[in-house]
Amino acid sequence: MLDPQLFRTDLEDVVAALAGRGYAFDVKRYRKLEAQRKELQVEVESIRAARNQQSKKIGKMKAAGENAELILQEVAGLGDQLAAAEQVLEKVQVDLDGLLHSVPNLPANGVPDGFNEEQNKELRTWGKIKSFDFEVSDHVDLGTALGQMDFEVAAKLTGSRFVVLKGQLARLHRALIQFMLDVHTEQHGYSETYVPYLVNRDSLFGTGQLPKFEEDQFCATEDDFFLIPTAEVPLTNMYRRVITPAEQLPIKMVAHTPCFRREAGSYGRDTRGMIRQHQFEKVELVQLVHPEHSVQALEELTGHAERILQLLELPYRAVALCKGDLGFSANKTYDLEVWLPSQQCYREISSCSSYDTFQARRMQARYRSEGDKPQLLHTLNGSGLAVGRTLLAIMENYQTTMGEIVLPAVIQPYMGGQRQLSPI
RNA sequence: GGAGAGGUGGCCGAGCGGCUGAAGGCGCUCCCCUGCUAAGGGAGUAUAGGGCGUAAAACUCUAUCGAGGGUUCGAAUCCCUCCCUCUCCGCCA
């Protein structure tokens, strides 16, 4: 969330910045609630102060063996007055919190203007798009022909948007995870972390998925736990209500987890294949940094994700999301999009974002420099990479006319030296 | 799942209805003393929110002793619910 102080001091600027990303802030409602809040809070606190003072007096009188009857009667009325005022304040505070909690982050400097995907800005492309001298298949046809990818049996087990992988393809899927983790831990300085896949409401609130996006989450209602939509949630929330000594920053963590998303509202999109699933694997990078370093950190983190694509020799491009395409909590996002021959276009395979203090404020994740007060730190994260999409990108980009899949050199050691996948 | 014990400040630990934002100790910061080291003396040492302030400070109010409710003029202290930790038993990958 944004600093409530910012709304009080720079309302105009905040509203303008929000309009830039297509968010209409209800200024009238805010002004009204904030005015009420202020008045009521002052009232409640002054009643409370009066009561505390009197109660203390009663204590002292009783200790001295005096009769406190008179004051006691006087104070009795305060209790009801206080309760009534508190109730009204509570209601206003809840409304105000609700309003502020659903306000998205402000775009960072330099984020391109625009309200939708078309206005995102391509920054660079990498790798050579292969030309095939035969009709390319998509990963569904390739996987089915291999006899190692089965959507129908997954549908029987659960429903749509799930997949079963078998044999060498399942192994490749696992190998990609190992490979990514190895690169990030050994070359990029991330600390490997294993985390819960079920989290509570506080955690989802901390990273910004709640309260606004509850319908996108899978909930274990019995316990009020949620299946994580990304490892960002448990990783970042490890530092919820923690004050980290400044010299321990940056904190860099990497985790492989499954991710679960209901994909509500995307019923018609990417219904074929592994692009959009309810369950998928991801290797996630998270950094907690000193505010002065977050701009640089986003560039680095994005580079770390790009490194995986480069090592796998998959053509991709990097895109800066425009203001209107930013996620709720992000102030800046770079998407990495991998080339898919079957679709003749680039598709998202990684999303790297910085959040300035937006998540940190919700989580109260802070750092402290020697002798200073605790300050909110900055959070960042990015996929390094989405594993399912990496798998299908390899299948499509490395297919042969015989329907085999040639394995990128770096992955072969993880496949027992095997050099290609062939039909079972 | 059964039985028990607990959750207090950076840490240890007292308190079990008022004078306790919280004794005492450790740690940390500053000052004094001692020619180093060790020891000693003194002061300070939470976080968040509000009001007032151009800002910082100062001042002032409020909240916080696992979380949420309740009793009371007044709750760290009494009652209820929940969460977490530990010990023993059972079960289990």
Side-chain angles (χ1 to χ4, degrees):
Chain A
M1 67 193 268
L2 300 172
D3 187 353
Q5 206 71 50
L6 209 58
F7 287 95
R8 295 189 199 124
T9 56
D10 299 303
L11 187 58
E12 310 266 304
D13 293 344
V14 173
V15 171
L18 288 171
R21 50 129 74 217
Y23 184 86
F25 182 65
D26 192 342
V27 181
K28 235 176 106 184
R29 178 142 183 271
Y30 168 75
R31 281 224 169 88
K32 190 172 150 220
L33 286 170
E34 172 60 14
Q36 289 178 329
R37 188 229 101 226
K38 186 162 164 175
E39 193 189 324
L40 287 163
Q41 183 166 345
V42 169
E43 186 191 341
V44 163
E45 290 188 355
S46 70
I47 297 176
R48 217 152 20 204
R51 187 206 60 190
N52 288 351
Q53 218 171 2
Q54 298 295 69
S55 291
K56 224 163 232 183
K57 219 183 279 177
I58 292 171
K60 280 183 183 155
M61 289 178 80
K62 285 204 166 169
E66 294 171 44
N67 189 339
E69 244 349 276
L70 226 82
I71 305 184
L72 237 143
Q73 280 175 9
E74 199 186 313
V75 177
L78 281 182
D80 296 336
Q81 231 186 92
L82 180 62
E86 274 176 338
Q87 212 177 356
V88 185
L89 174 61
E90 169 75 9
K91 165 96 174 65
V92 169
Q93 195 67 63
V94 165
D95 288 352
L96 192 58
D97 286 348
L99 182 66
L100 296 186
H101 288 165
S102 59
V103 174
N105 203 352
L106 306 179
N109 285 333
V111 172
D113 288 328
F115 293 101
N116 57 50
E117 216 176 306
E118 276 89 72
Q119 286 153 297
N120 293 343
K121 198 172 136 203
E122 180 179 290
L123 299 172
R124 56 188 171 272
T125 60
W126 185 95
K128 199 168 144 244
I129 291 169
K130 240 179 267 179
S131 54
F132 293 90
D133 52 9
F134 56 92
E135 180 108 356
V136 295
S137 304
D138 76 356
H139 67 280
V140 179
D141 289 339
L142 289 164
T144 306
L146 286 170
Q148 299 175 23
M149 184 182 286
D150 193 333
F151 292 96
E152 274 163 37
V153 75
K156 177 174 77 180
L157 299 177
T158 311
S160 64
R161 292 202 190 282
F162 289 89
V163 71
V164 167
L165 300 176
K166 303 178 230 178
Q168 292 306 298
L169 199 56
R171 182 176 186 180
L172 175 57
H173 188 247
R174 168 167 62 89
L176 286 169
I177 294 165
Q178 310 284 33
F179 164 67
M180 292 179 197
L181 283 171
D182 285 350
V183 171
H184 293 310
T185 55
E186 290 166 13
Q187 296 177 33
H188 298 151
Y190 290 81
S191 164
E192 185 164 350
T193 311
Y194 172 80
V195 293
Y197 302 157
L198 285 164
V199 296
N200 58 31
R201 280 182 185 273
D202 287 346
S203 294
L204 281 168
F205 176 81
T207 31
Q209 283 80 11
L210 289 183
K212 238 187 160 176
F213 306 101
E214 182 156 355
E215 67 283 355
D216 293 331
Q217 318 302 327
F218 283 108
C219 182
T221 49
E222 194 78 3
D223 302 283
D224 211 28
F225 291 155
F226 294 83
L227 284 163
I228 55 171
T230 158
E232 161 197 352
V233 178
L235 285 175
T236 313
N237 274 281
M238 283 171 62
Y239 288 85
R240 175 150 46 90
R241 290 197 294 269
V242 171
I243 300 172
T244 308
E247 61 271 19
Q248 283 176 25
L249 300 178
I251 289 161
K252 296 166 74 179
M253 297 175 285
V254 59
H256 149 246
T257 70
C259 303
F260 303 91
R261 300 185 181 178
R262 296 191 59 222
E263 297 295 344
S266 63
Y267 297 119
R269 299 175 63 191
D270 302 310
T271 48
R272 179 178 164 86
M274 279 183 72
I275 291 246
R276 194 175 300 275
Q277 301 269 284
H278 288 309
Q279 171 187 319
F280 61 96
E281 307 299 300
K282 188 151 60 70
V283 170
E284 181 77 357
L285 306 173
V286 166
Q287 290 199 26
L288 308 181
V289 305
H290 191 284
E292 281 170 19
H293 301 145
S294 60
V295 170
Q296 179 63 26
L298 179 61
E299 303 300 321
E300 281 172 17
L301 189 147
T302 306
H304 296 152
E306 284 179 65
R307 184 76 187 132
I308 301 293
L309 287 162
Q310 292 166 5
L311 288 167
L312 291 171
E313 298 178 70
L314 290 168
Y316 71 90
R317 65 172 188 168
V319 170
L321 297 196
C322 71
K323 292 176 179 175
D325 208 25
L326 286 177
F328 176 74
S329 304
N331 75 337
K332 185 172 186 178
T333 298
Y334 295 130
D335 272 5
L336 301 180
E337 301 179 339
V338 70
W339 178 258
L340 290 190
S342 69
Q343 300 191 2
Q344 286 294 297
C345 68
Y346 289 101
R347 294 300 308 261
E348 179 186 333
I349 196 166
S350 170
S351 192
C352 303
S353 301
S354 63
Y355 301 85
D356 56 60
T357 56
F358 191 88
Q359 293 181 326
R361 183 169 294 104
R362 289 172 159 247
M363 292 190 299
Q364 285 303 301
R366 296 173 291 176
Y367 71 95
R368 190 205 298 267
S369 306
E370 192 69 28
D372 270 354
K373 290 210 147 218
Q375 305 279 327
L376 295 171
L377 46 72
H378 283 194
T379 61
L380 306 98
N381 65 60
S383 359
L385 307 162
V387 179
R389 289 186 183 181
T390 307
L391 181 79
L392 72 89
I394 288 174
M395 293 173 74
E396 295 199 4
N397 281 284
Y398 284 90
Q399 61 182 294
T400 69
T401 184
M402 303 297 294
E404 297 152 338
I405 313 294
V406 177
L407 293 174
V410 289
I411 212 71
Q412 289 172 15
Y414 291 86
M415 293 291 288
Q418 198 176 332
R419 301 171 75 155
Q420 63 173 44
L421 303 189
S422 309
I424 291 174

